[in-house]
Every structure is written in structure tokens, then in C-alpha cells.
Amino acid sequence: MSFVTRFAPSPTGYLHLGHAFSALTAFDAAQTAGGRFVLRIEDIDQGRSRPEFEAVIFEDLAWLGISWEEPVRRQSEHMADYEGALQSLIERQLVYRCFRTRKEIAEAIASAPHGEAEEAFRGEAIPPDEEAAKLKAGEAFAWRLSLKKARAALGPAYFALMFEDETGPVRAEPGRHGDVVLARKDFGTSYHLASVWDDALHGVTHVIRGEDLREAAHLHVLLQKLLELPQPAYRHHRLILGEDGKRLAKRDQAATLKTLREGGKTPADVRGMIGL
Ligand code: GLU
């Protein structure tokens, strides 16, 4: 059986021990399976991504003993791919324009009665004349996936959506996410769309990533179905916690691989610190 996995960091800060755990878990799994390991730079958010962070990602990973296939795919160089995927959803009317601001959405959620919060994420396309007026006025909009339309398009297949993770077969519940944004106002795609697209492009058979992204699988399998992409298996791993018991964030400088490396730690020390 072929085995392809990946590590897909965003160059918006330095990698920390949590990233090391993810990257090494995926790399080790590929080695053990005699499979492939792909590195992908998820830099669609050009406002937050920095070339210097990307350069340090390469240094950190090589230092850890990880090797990857070249060329590395940098998502910002392939925006047309994600636009194409979005376009196919637009043509099938599975997405709608959402002009609401973050503030308006937050207000709608806050004012929703208990239990209806998720519903508040769901909108509908606004009447065509209103939409035309907003477009004419140059108002920015995001594209949201319409769960209602997705359900109608897939019929019983929507409810039969399953995926496999480390716990076994899981029934997918994309409704947990509401109508998610697939193309953001500011950069025309989203993590979900670009990541699902690229996993398929790379022939990823096993998505290995942290538990914090467990919920995302429920949506990703729906996108795979709608875009007719193959479905990988999922493996979610534990998160590495900081001394305060909270999961590490990019702002935790003490745990960055760069700091550890420059402070004289070895890759074996890092493995030891994260229990690998
Ligand atoms: N770019 C995402 C991150 O850094 C990766 C998510 C994924 O592995 O799908 O969190």
C-alpha cells in the first residue's frame, strides 16, 4: 500500500515543540511505512506570512533530521488552483457571497438564543438586487459553503459521509461547522479549501496532524466529496503543552526550535522533550 503524508506549516512565526512533534510524527510514519513525506508551505495569508519564518522552517526541519521532496509547494504561488476549485463550487451554486463583517456575525451569534449559535453561522444568499447593489458599491465579500445546498446536491451521500481516524470509522458531521468561509474577503481562498486541494494534489493518503484539527476533518471530507477528490485517512496526535499546561502557541519563544537549537539542544534532546 502506498503511504503519503505531509507537514504543512504556515510561516507566520517560528516552529515550536508542537510543530516538531507533528513533523516528526509524520516523517517517522512515512519512514516506517516506506512511504513519502511531503512538506508544504501554507502561506495563503500573505499579510501574516514572512519569508524569514519560511527560511527558519527549512533550517529547523533539516536540523531535526527531516528530509522532504523538492520543490516544496508554496500555496501563495498557486492561488489560481484554489480559485478554480472555488469556481466549480460557484458554478454549482454550492457557495454564496457573504457580505457580513466579522462584527456583524459575532453580534448575530451573541444574540442567537441558546442552542442556535451554530445556525447563526448559516446565511443565505441575499436577494439578487441587494447583492447587485453591494457589488456595485464595491463591498467586499467572502464565499461561504451552503450546507443546505451541499446536502441537497449530495442527497443520501451527505448523511453517509464517513472518514477513518485513529479511533476507527467516524461518521462525518459537517453541520458542526455551519456555513464555513471557503474564500476569505482578504485573500480569496481559505485554509480549508487550499489544504484539501493540495492534499489531493500530493496524493496524501494519511493526514497526520494535531488534535486541534480533529473537527476540521468533518468539513474536509465534505469538501473532498463535493470536489470529487480522494479521501485520505486521518491521524490526530496529542498536543504538546507548555509549562502552564496550555497548548503551545507561536508566541511561546522559549519553546521555539530556533531558541532551543541556538541554546545548544540537540535533535535528540528535542525528541526527548516531546516523548518521541
Ligand atoms: N497550516 C496549518 C497549520 O499550521 C496546517 C494544518 C494541517 O495540517 O492541515 O496549523
Side-chain angles (χ1 to χ4, degrees), residues 6-12 15 19 22 40-43 75 191 195-196 199 207-210 212-213 216 220 247 250:
R6 53 31 160 218
F7 178 57
S10 300
T12 54
L15 299 185
H19 296 107
S22 240
R40 172 168 86 227
I41 299 294
E42 297 205 325
D43 62 346
Q75 290 190 324
Y191 153 67
S195 187
V196 158
D199 282 340
V207 170
I208 298 175
R209 61 188 174 199
D212 52 333
L213 286 164
H220 291 183
R247 61 178 272 230
K250 287 193 168 140

Side-chain angles (χ1 to χ4, degrees), residues 90 95-99 124-126 131 135 141-144:
I90 294 173
V95 287
Y96 59 90
R97 290 187 182 90
C98 176
F99 292 86
E124 277 306 317
I126 54 177
E131 182 171 284
L135 288 174
F141 60 87
W143 285 102
R144 276 183 191 271

